[in-house]
Amino acid sequence: MSAAPGPEARAPAESTYCADHPERETQLSCNRCGKLICASCARKTPVGYRCPQCVRKQQSKFETARWYDYLVAAGISLLLSGLAGALLARLGWFVIFLAPTAGGVISEIIRRAVGRRRGRYLSYVAIGGMLLAGVFNLSLWGLIYLALAASTVHARLRSISI
Ligand SMILES: [Zn+2]
Ligand SMILES: [Zn+2]
């Protein structure tokens, strides 16, 4: 009877190989997802070694908006929301159906105008523009328009507001 090591005896050793390069042995692992990474896969970050996937995921959350994107977002929402609010407030209760649509159109125009760049405060700036325009349109339906359209814009712009 020979006591040759079975495959189960070797199993723990296999788990010290890089997840993307099965032939490379490594002691490093990503400190975010725990995946094993070899020296060429590891990315040194201020918080330790990470795998390329986690680094990429992190980078997509970075601010990419330029300063003028905020001006563009504020200007568009001020102008368009001012117009939409003034028009829709005259329609009475129809505003309940049309305000979210107007908010959707306004956010789509803003998204395109800023080249889909991301900014931490873009949705707040857009809502600020809408509120400013709303000051000139103070009426019951004007306020209802503002509440519905602004919440739509906030929800739609969340994807570019990090
Ligand atoms: Zn990772
Ligand atoms: Zn590797």
Side-chain angles (χ1 to χ4, degrees):
M1 287 297 159
S2 67
E8 66 274 11
R10 246 186 285 160
E14 278 171 22
S15 65
T16 63
Y17 288 92
C18 172
D20 294 328
H21 303 97
E23 76 286 357
R24 290 190 200 160
E25 213 171 332
T26 181
Q27 305 296 323
L28 288 172
S29 64
C30 171
N31 73 355
R32 193 162 182 273
C33 69
K35 198 170 95 171
L36 286 159
I37 40 179
C38 69
S40 67
C41 287
R43 301 282 179 269
K44 198 169 166 38
T45 72
V47 289
Y49 287 104
R50 294 215 164 152
C51 70
Q53 288 82 358
C54 285
V55 168
R56 219 171 297 138
K57 227 178 282 173
Q58 203 63 29
Q59 276 170 343
S60 68
K61 288 187 177 162
F62 285 162
E63 172 110 13
T64 54
R66 318 279 158 79
W67 63 269
Y68 51 77
D69 288 334
Y70 287 99
L71 288 186
V72 168
I76 289 174
S77 68
L78 181 69
L79 196 74
L80 291 186
S81 187
L83 277 171
L87 278 171
L88 296 188
R90 289 162 201 254
L91 298 177
W93 59 271
F94 265 118
V95 88
I96 294 168
F97 301 104
L98 295 174
T101 309
V105 171
I106 291 168
S107 23
E108 192 49 41
I109 291 172
I110 291 175
R111 262 156 52 87
R112 282 167 194 221
V114 302
R116 294 195 162 77
R117 284 185 289 273
R118 297 159 162 274
R120 207 170 295 274
Y121 307 110
L122 274 177
S123 78
Y124 298 105
V125 167
I127 288 166
M130 297 176 79
L131 293 177
L132 193 60
V135 170
F136 302 103
N137 185 28
L138 283 177
S139 67
L140 175 65
W141 294 116
L143 290 174
I144 290 172
Y145 159 80
L146 204 55
L148 292 171
S151 63
T152 306
V153 166
H154 181 63
R156 295 282 178 90
L157 289 187
R158 206 155 21 181
S159 64
I160 59 164
S161 301
I162 306 179

